[in-house]
């Protein structure tokens, strides 16, 4: 996840600066260097660990940017089969044909393509079928208090079943408590992310986190 430490503003959340960059047309200038930095850091990770990177809707709306992203991945030396690129339903609504070209170009490299925040937008099943997605990510808004909210439980259950029917992997976002994790496990979820496992950490601290997790698994 991108983080910005400003000498004037201090730590600025990506939920603040990414929308601004998109609104003023700067996001396409941020994506390549951020992806380059992420790939460089991930080259030092264990080979069984994947990298996930979010693409803006604007990144998918331009052939030039899509080609630059491919070039960054190619030049990094990082195995693209260990890379998952996430796009939102908003990107699909802008220019489906263009997004399809960008997705196909990235899939040809071997990258995984995930539909982010699934269930919160307006994509149709025909659009999901037409794009070469490999995974869907269920939005965190359905997860908070899942074990106490029958409506959220049923929604997640339906989305998980849909992903299985479409032969797509399903990742659930925003898991923060053991109760939420247990509820998701009961629904057959096997891939989750969230603060229950770790808050975002700096690249220089990742090796220590890997070591701690492996020691915990052996204990």
């Amino acid at each position: 996840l991108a983080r910005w430490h400003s000498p004037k503003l201090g730590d600025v959340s990506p939920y603040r600066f990414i929308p601004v960059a998109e609104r003023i047309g700067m996001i396409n200038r941020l994506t390549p260097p951020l992806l380059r930095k992420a790939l460089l850091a991930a080259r030092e990770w264990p080979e069984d660990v994947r990298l996930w990177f979010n693409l803006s809707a604007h990144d998918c709306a331009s052939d030039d940017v899509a080609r630059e992203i491919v070039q960054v991945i190619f030049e990094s030396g990082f195995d693209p089969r260990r890379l998952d690129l996430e796009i939102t339903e908003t990107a699909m609504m802008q220019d489906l044909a263009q997004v399809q070209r960008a997705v196909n170009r990235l899939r040809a490299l071997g990258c995984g393509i995930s539909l982010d925040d699934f269930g919160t937008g307006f994509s149709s099943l025909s659009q999901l079928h037409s794009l070469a997605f490999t995974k869907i990510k269920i939005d965190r808004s359905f997860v908070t208090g899942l074990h106490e909210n029958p409506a959220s439980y049923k929604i997640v259950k339906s989305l998980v079943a849909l992903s299985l029917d479409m032969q797509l992997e399903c990742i659930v976002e925003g898991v923060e408590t053991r109760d939420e994790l247990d509820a998701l496990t009961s629904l057959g979820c096997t891939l989750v992310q969230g603060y229950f496992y770790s808050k975002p950490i700096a690249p220089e601290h990742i090796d220590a986190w890997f070591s701690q997790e492996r020691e915990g698994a052996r204990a």
Side-chain angles (χ1 to χ4, degrees), residues 6-217:
S6 167
K8 293 184 178 181
L9 303 176
D11 292 324
V12 184
S13 166
Y15 295 106
R16 293 184 61 192
F17 71 81
I18 293 295
V20 172
E22 290 183 324
R23 189 164 61 249
I24 65 177
M26 280 191 62
I27 192 66
N28 292 349
R29 292 164 57 188
L30 289 181
T31 296
L34 287 174
L35 178 58
R36 194 174 290 111
K37 289 181 66 174
L39 291 167
L40 179 62
R43 285 176 58 182
E44 306 301 320
W45 297 354
E47 292 187 358
D48 61 336
V49 178
R50 303 181 66 82
L51 171 67
W52 297 71
F53 189 89
N54 289 84
L55 295 180
S56 164
H58 298 277
D59 296 326
C60 300
S62 165
D63 274 329
D64 290 340
V65 176
R67 280 193 293 267
E68 186 174 6
I69 291 171
V70 168
Q71 189 67 20
V72 168
I73 297 169
F74 181 77
E75 293 176 350
S76 72
F78 186 80
D79 185 351
R81 293 172 298 181
R82 293 173 54 201
L83 174 63
D84 282 274
L85 297 166
E86 303 181 27
I87 65 174
T88 64
E89 296 183 68
T90 306
M92 297 164 56
M93 294 170 61
Q94 292 193 0
D95 185 342
L96 183 60
Q98 169 56 39
V99 174
Q100 190 170 32
R101 288 194 297 272
V103 167
N104 289 342
R105 183 175 284 126
L106 294 165
R107 286 289 292 127
L109 280 181
C111 302
I113 304 292
S114 302
L115 178 59
D116 198 15
D117 299 335
F118 184 62
T120 62
F122 304 96
S123 60
S124 67
L125 294 183
S126 62
Q127 289 174 324
L128 286 178
H129 182 70
S130 66
L131 294 172
F133 289 111
T134 58
K135 303 173 180 69
I136 60 174
K137 300 188 73 175
I138 297 178
D139 187 69
R140 69 184 65 194
S141 62
F142 299 119
V143 177
T144 303
L146 172 79
H147 56 292
E148 299 174 332
N149 187 331
S152 293
Y153 189 90
K154 290 177 182 178
I155 290 172
V156 173
K157 181 179 180 180
S158 299
L159 294 177
V160 171
L162 176 63
S163 70
L164 291 173
D165 286 343
M166 299 187 69
Q167 298 182 322
L168 297 171
E169 288 188 272
C170 179
I171 300 95
V172 184
E173 301 177 312
V175 180
E176 297 188 358
T177 68
R178 168 60 68 177
D179 286 336
E180 291 169 354
L181 180 62
D182 289 344
L184 292 168
T185 301
S186 73
L187 291 175
C189 299
T190 58
L191 298 172
V192 302
Q193 69 179 63
Y195 285 7
F196 179 78
Y197 290 102
S198 175
K199 293 185 177 181
I201 55 179
E204 59 268 23
H205 299 148
I206 289 180
D207 285 343
W209 187 84
F210 283 145
S211 298
Q212 177 182 330
E213 288 299 301
R214 281 176 166 75
E215 289 175 4

